[in-house]
Amino acid sequence: MKDTLKGVFFRLPLRLSSLEKCYNNNESEVLKMNEPGLKKAMDTLQYLSQDSEARRLYEARQKYLHDEASMLGSAEMAGIKKVAKNMLDLNLDISIIIKATGLTEQEINALRK
């Protein structure tokens, strides 16, 4: 983790200078492709410079995307638990259920109730 953070901070001046260059020379599309992570920073800057209605729409879209991802994650977990419950009903060994579903032994035991 420390090495990762060190790498990010080491590259930060390069990224900032690239971002400045982008706005000074109108080379945004080229830089977006060449600098990883720069697209997100540029999108954020664009967001911050929008008017209040555009910002409200942007925030609503971000909330929708977050909610959708959360629902998909919940649905996936529900499906995994259903499979684990079916495997329990078939009297499969708990170690097999753990390997097949990725659930912990405690989570599987809770499904027995």
Side-chain angles (χ1 to χ4, degrees):
M1 178 74 170
K2 253 186 192 178
D3 292 332
T4 304
L5 289 176
K6 190 185 292 183
V8 168
F9 288 116
F10 179 73
R11 290 188 309 268
L12 188 58
L14 172 63
R15 291 175 187 233
L16 291 176
S17 66
S18 295
L19 188 59
E20 181 181 33
K21 179 182 174 187
C22 162
Y23 275 96
N24 290 338
N25 298 329
N26 296 321
E27 299 174 3
S28 61
E29 293 305 315
V30 173
L31 286 172
K32 280 183 188 179
M33 293 186 306
N34 292 336
E35 286 288 333
L38 189 57
K39 181 183 182 325
K40 184 172 181 166
M42 291 176 65
D43 289 345
T44 301
L45 281 173
Q46 181 181 5
Y47 158 71
L48 293 173
S49 66
Q50 295 172 345
D51 62 38
S52 61
E53 178 63 14
R55 221 178 352 265
R56 185 190 67 75
L57 291 172
Y58 175 85
E59 289 168 359
R61 173 147 173 73
Q62 292 301 316
K63 182 183 181 318
Y64 169 80
L65 293 173
H66 176 69
D67 291 348
E68 183 179 39
S70 180
M71 286 188 309
L72 290 173
S74 295
E76 181 180 7
M77 182 53 73
I80 289 170
K81 287 182 177 181
K82 183 175 182 177
V83 168
K85 176 73 171 125
N86 290 342
M87 294 173 86
L88 281 171
D89 292 344
L90 293 171
N91 295 319
L92 291 176
D93 186 65
I94 196 163
S95 64
I96 293 171
I97 300 171
I98 290 170
K99 287 180 185 177
T101 63
L103 296 175
T104 65
E105 186 173 349
Q106 294 80 13
E107 290 171 318
I108 294 168
N109 287 330
L111 296 173
R112 289 184 176 173
K113 299 174 183 176

